[in-house]
Amino acid sequence: MPAPYRALDLFLLLVALPFGSAFHREGCFHTTQHLLSNQSLSPTSPLFFRDSFDSPPYNGINNMTLTLDGCNALCGPQQTWYIDVGPRLTIWLIPILLLLANVELSPLDKRKFLAILHLLGDPIDCIWSLLHKLDAWDRCSELATRCNGVCPSCQSVIASVFAAYEEVQGPRIHAERCFEALLQRHNSATHFSAWRRVAVRLADGRTDELGRTVLALLLYIFQLVCAFVPEVGGAPPGPPGGRIATGVLLSWLVPVILISNAIGNLPSRRTTYDILVDLAANTGDDTFHVADQRSVFLPIFPSLAKACSTDYFRALGWSGGIYMYRPWKLRYVTSTRHRHLHTLLLATLAATPVLIGLVGGVLILWYQLPVGLNCRHVWLVTVALLWNVSAFITLITHCSGFATGAYHWRFTLIKDACIAVPSLLVMLLSAVGLFNFCWCWSGPFQRLGKRRVPLTEKVYLDNAKSVYPMIVGLTLLLQITVVIVVAVIWRRGLQLFRWSEKSREGEWDRAMGSGLYECTCDGGRSRQSSLGSEMSLLKSDVRVTST
């Protein structure tokens, strides 16, 4: 009896192949079951997978599994696209687009959308840049606290003015000497009311979209829940698995939108500049000006070298106006005792969200059948490695002097496009069936005798109720934990421009001199009467130290 069945199996391998040339798991399961029921296929056929030579074949309804040759014969060796493309894309694409739409962008015409390209092609550099911006604000607050005997509200005013100059000067602020010079030009008590007005205008002008961001995050989580809970999102076209791995990989967008919106932005690229111009006019400072930004390309090769100067407003896209692009990340506002360790801290925190997303995506794909590495792991890990390489290229090309200013910005965008576009393309194609063929479903990286293609969806349905929700939930929890760690370490920077309405009203009242709110400095005496001595204390504490 075994011999005729083996001959029939060879016949099926040759005859059924042209008619079933594309893999479809559910259809192949029903076809195999039908062949078994009408005895066209032997239950002991070598097309069924066995753990060992003398073990029983996997031919039951709950464990039906084919060998790679069996899958090619009964299901077809060719790749085919999924028939439920729309639902497969909406499970992860809509939440990701929702997160991207809530990333806080700079107030720069159409150039601000280039920040999205940089984000998708170099997420580690974008997160690092946001942390560097927070670190700069935190250092401005630290400088203000060196003034002994000054109340917290006055320290907030001083820190806000410092941060405004850092906003305008960008990479040209190298050390405390910039702020010491600022204090030397504005050391009169009569000038401090102008400082207060500047601080209030800066706080009023800063955007605050955290409420909208939290709502978008909740909708993102709800969409993920819909993928696992049929009672909430309706019955899915198929069990979730690899389709949500892409969404998990891109979960680093959660820290990006939370941090970028916590920092906020200004409604216009001219806001800070105009405010500081008014401050200079009100305090009689005729030294305030912003020079053109200089850019250099390939200075080590004189025959190929290029240089140019760009107007301040035209240069904002790459000189500080886009918070997600700050290539001078190794330069700090104030001197740092353990500079390299501090840089390592920022770089580690920037890479952590990408690593969390990668591990979550790898685990989702790992628990697909057969358990282990498969084709999708290749593109998942490759994209993550490209993001790390992209961050290294962005950093090294600026630090080495290969390109600076506008030239570095253009080079970075070209590099980001070369990484972001293919990465997004492979994500989309993978979601709609790029790897949907027998070889990829057989566990191609396992030993030859262990390659198999399970046809039953029971394990996928069980994982959708337990394993997958746990992985997704843990991934999101870790991403939010990163945000909490950032908020704790740089809490002074986050609070710099986040004044309550009562605080803004109080500072405005003090600036106008109406007397409704009194400063608590020096036992409740007026801030104006003691400003000169406090400025002297601050200046004596500030050291002219190069970074």
Side-chain angles (χ1 to χ4, degrees), residues 173-184:
I173 289 186
H174 296 279
E176 293 96 329
R177 62 178 179 269
C178 299
F179 299 113
E180 181 181 8
L182 176 64
L183 290 175
Q184 289 174 345

PDB file of all heavy atoms in Angstrom, residues 173-184:
ATOM      1  N   ILE A 173      26.803  79.298  20.275  1.00  0.00           N
ATOM      2  CA  ILE A 173      26.999  79.457  21.709  1.00  0.00           C
ATOM      3  C   ILE A 173      27.857  78.298  22.183  1.00  0.00           C
ATOM      4  O   ILE A 173      27.433  77.156  22.163  1.00  0.00           O
ATOM      5  CB  ILE A 173      25.654  79.486  22.460  1.00  0.00           C
ATOM      6  CG1 ILE A 173      24.932  80.786  22.154  1.00  0.00           C
ATOM      7  CG2 ILE A 173      25.869  79.329  23.944  1.00  0.00           C
ATOM      8  CD1 ILE A 173      23.675  81.001  22.950  1.00  0.00           C
ATOM      9  N   HIS A 174      29.070  78.611  22.626  1.00  0.00           N
ATOM     10  CA  HIS A 174      30.024  77.566  22.982  1.00  0.00           C
ATOM     11  C   HIS A 174      30.171  77.377  24.484  1.00  0.00           C
ATOM     12  O   HIS A 174      30.550  76.319  24.929  1.00  0.00           O
ATOM     13  CB  HIS A 174      31.408  77.880  22.399  1.00  0.00           C
ATOM     14  CG  HIS A 174      31.438  77.884  20.911  1.00  0.00           C
ATOM     15  ND1 HIS A 174      31.521  76.726  20.170  1.00  0.00           N
ATOM     16  CD2 HIS A 174      31.379  78.893  20.014  1.00  0.00           C
ATOM     17  CE1 HIS A 174      31.523  77.023  18.885  1.00  0.00           C
ATOM     18  NE2 HIS A 174      31.446  78.334  18.762  1.00  0.00           N
ATOM     19  N   ALA A 175      29.955  78.424  25.281  1.00  0.00           N
ATOM     20  CA  ALA A 175      30.221  78.277  26.706  1.00  0.00           C
ATOM     21  C   ALA A 175      29.527  79.385  27.483  1.00  0.00           C
ATOM     22  O   ALA A 175      28.774  80.192  26.941  1.00  0.00           O
ATOM     23  CB  ALA A 175      31.735  78.304  26.960  1.00  0.00           C
ATOM     24  N   GLU A 176      29.828  79.404  28.790  1.00  0.00           N
ATOM     25  CA  GLU A 176      29.176  80.376  29.675  1.00  0.00           C
ATOM     26  C   GLU A 176      29.528  81.819  29.343  1.00  0.00           C
ATOM     27  O   GLU A 176      28.832  82.734  29.761  1.00  0.00           O
ATOM     28  CB  GLU A 176      29.577  80.104  31.138  1.00  0.00           C
ATOM     29  CG  GLU A 176      29.060  78.802  31.696  1.00  0.00           C
ATOM     30  CD  GLU A 176      30.089  77.690  31.587  1.00  0.00           C
ATOM     31  OE1 GLU A 176      30.882  77.702  30.643  1.00  0.00           O
ATOM     32  OE2 GLU A 176      30.068  76.807  32.441  1.00  0.00           O
ATOM     33  N   ARG A 177      30.599  82.032  28.596  1.00  0.00           N
ATOM     34  CA  ARG A 177      31.019  83.403  28.332  1.00  0.00           C
ATOM     35  C   ARG A 177      29.951  84.193  27.566  1.00  0.00           C
ATOM     36  O   ARG A 177      29.867  85.409  27.704  1.00  0.00           O
ATOM     37  CB  ARG A 177      32.331  83.427  27.560  1.00  0.00           C
ATOM     38  CG  ARG A 177      32.291  82.775  26.175  1.00  0.00           C
ATOM     39  CD  ARG A 177      33.646  82.897  25.490  1.00  0.00           C
ATOM     40  NE  ARG A 177      33.656  82.271  24.185  1.00  0.00           N
ATOM     41  CZ  ARG A 177      33.984  81.011  23.962  1.00  0.00           C
ATOM     42  NH1 ARG A 177      34.315  80.236  24.988  1.00  0.00           N
ATOM     43  NH2 ARG A 177      33.984  80.510  22.748  1.00  0.00           N
ATOM     44  N   CYS A 178      29.128  83.484  26.774  1.00  0.00           N
ATOM     45  CA  CYS A 178      28.059  84.172  26.051  1.00  0.00           C
ATOM     46  C   CYS A 178      27.052  84.752  27.033  1.00  0.00           C
ATOM     47  O   CYS A 178      26.588  85.879  26.876  1.00  0.00           O
ATOM     48  CB  CYS A 178      27.373  83.200  25.092  1.00  0.00           C
ATOM     49  SG  CYS A 178      28.464  82.501  23.834  1.00  0.00           S
ATOM     50  N   PHE A 179      26.720  83.993  28.066  1.00  0.00           N
ATOM     51  CA  PHE A 179      25.744  84.455  29.039  1.00  0.00           C
ATOM     52  C   PHE A 179      26.348  85.473  29.994  1.00  0.00           C
ATOM     53  O   PHE A 179      25.670  86.363  30.477  1.00  0.00           O
ATOM     54  CB  PHE A 179      25.185  83.264  29.812  1.00  0.00           C
ATOM     55  CG  PHE A 179      24.476  82.274  28.938  1.00  0.00           C
ATOM     56  CD1 PHE A 179      24.990  81.011  28.748  1.00  0.00           C
ATOM     57  CD2 PHE A 179      23.317  82.625  28.261  1.00  0.00           C
ATOM     58  CE1 PHE A 179      24.354  80.111  27.923  1.00  0.00           C
ATOM     59  CE2 PHE A 179      22.675  81.730  27.437  1.00  0.00           C
ATOM     60  CZ  PHE A 179      23.192  80.472  27.266  1.00  0.00           C
ATOM     61  N   GLU A 180      27.645  85.352  30.266  1.00  0.00           N
ATOM     62  CA  GLU A 180      28.298  86.358  31.093  1.00  0.00           C
ATOM     63  C   GLU A 180      28.295  87.710  30.369  1.00  0.00           C
ATOM     64  O   GLU A 180      28.010  88.751  30.973  1.00  0.00           O
ATOM     65  CB  GLU A 180      29.728  85.945  31.410  1.00  0.00           C
ATOM     66  CG  GLU A 180      30.439  86.950  32.303  1.00  0.00           C
ATOM     67  CD  GLU A 180      31.868  86.554  32.590  1.00  0.00           C
ATOM     68  OE1 GLU A 180      32.344  85.582  31.978  1.00  0.00           O
ATOM     69  OE2 GLU A 180      32.497  87.215  33.419  1.00  0.00           O
ATOM     70  N   ALA A 181      28.587  87.678  29.065  1.00  0.00           N
ATOM     71  CA  ALA A 181      28.542  88.921  28.299  1.00  0.00           C
ATOM     72  C   ALA A 181      27.144  89.495  28.282  1.00  0.00           C
ATOM     73  O   ALA A 181      26.948  90.718  28.347  1.00  0.00           O
ATOM     74  CB  ALA A 181      29.036  88.654  26.871  1.00  0.00           C
ATOM     75  N   LEU A 182      26.138  88.633  28.230  1.00  0.00           N
ATOM     76  CA  LEU A 182      24.748  89.091  28.252  1.00  0.00           C
ATOM     77  C   LEU A 182      24.442  89.797  29.573  1.00  0.00           C
ATOM     78  O   LEU A 182      23.817  90.866  29.596  1.00  0.00           O
ATOM     79  CB  LEU A 182      23.810  87.900  28.055  1.00  0.00           C
ATOM     80  CG  LEU A 182      22.306  88.177  28.155  1.00  0.00           C
ATOM     81  CD1 LEU A 182      21.863  89.111  27.052  1.00  0.00           C
ATOM     82  CD2 LEU A 182      21.525  86.863  28.084  1.00  0.00           C
ATOM     83  N   LEU A 183      24.887  89.247  30.677  1.00  0.00           N
ATOM     84  CA  LEU A 183      24.646  89.862  31.980  1.00  0.00           C
ATOM     85  C   LEU A 183      25.400  91.182  32.114  1.00  0.00           C
ATOM     86  O   LEU A 183      24.920  92.132  32.737  1.00  0.00           O
ATOM     87  CB  LEU A 183      25.065  88.900  33.088  1.00  0.00           C
ATOM     88  CG  LEU A 183      24.177  87.660  33.263  1.00  0.00           C
ATOM     89  CD1 LEU A 183      24.778  86.733  34.310  1.00  0.00           C
ATOM     90  CD2 LEU A 183      22.767  88.054  33.648  1.00  0.00           C
ATOM     91  N   GLN A 184      26.588  91.246  31.553  1.00  0.00           N
ATOM     92  CA  GLN A 184      27.358  92.488  31.638  1.00  0.00           C
ATOM     93  C   GLN A 184      26.683  93.626  30.886  1.00  0.00           C
ATOM     94  O   GLN A 184      26.771  94.787  31.280  1.00  0.00           O
ATOM     95  CB  GLN A 184      28.767  92.255  31.080  1.00  0.00           C
ATOM     96  CG  GLN A 184      29.643  91.399  31.977  1.00  0.00           C
ATOM     97  CD  GLN A 184      30.964  91.072  31.336  1.00  0.00           C
ATOM     98  OE1 GLN A 184      31.139  91.237  30.132  1.00  0.00           O
ATOM     99  NE2 GLN A 184      31.917  90.601  32.143  1.00  0.00           N
TER     100      GLN A 184
END
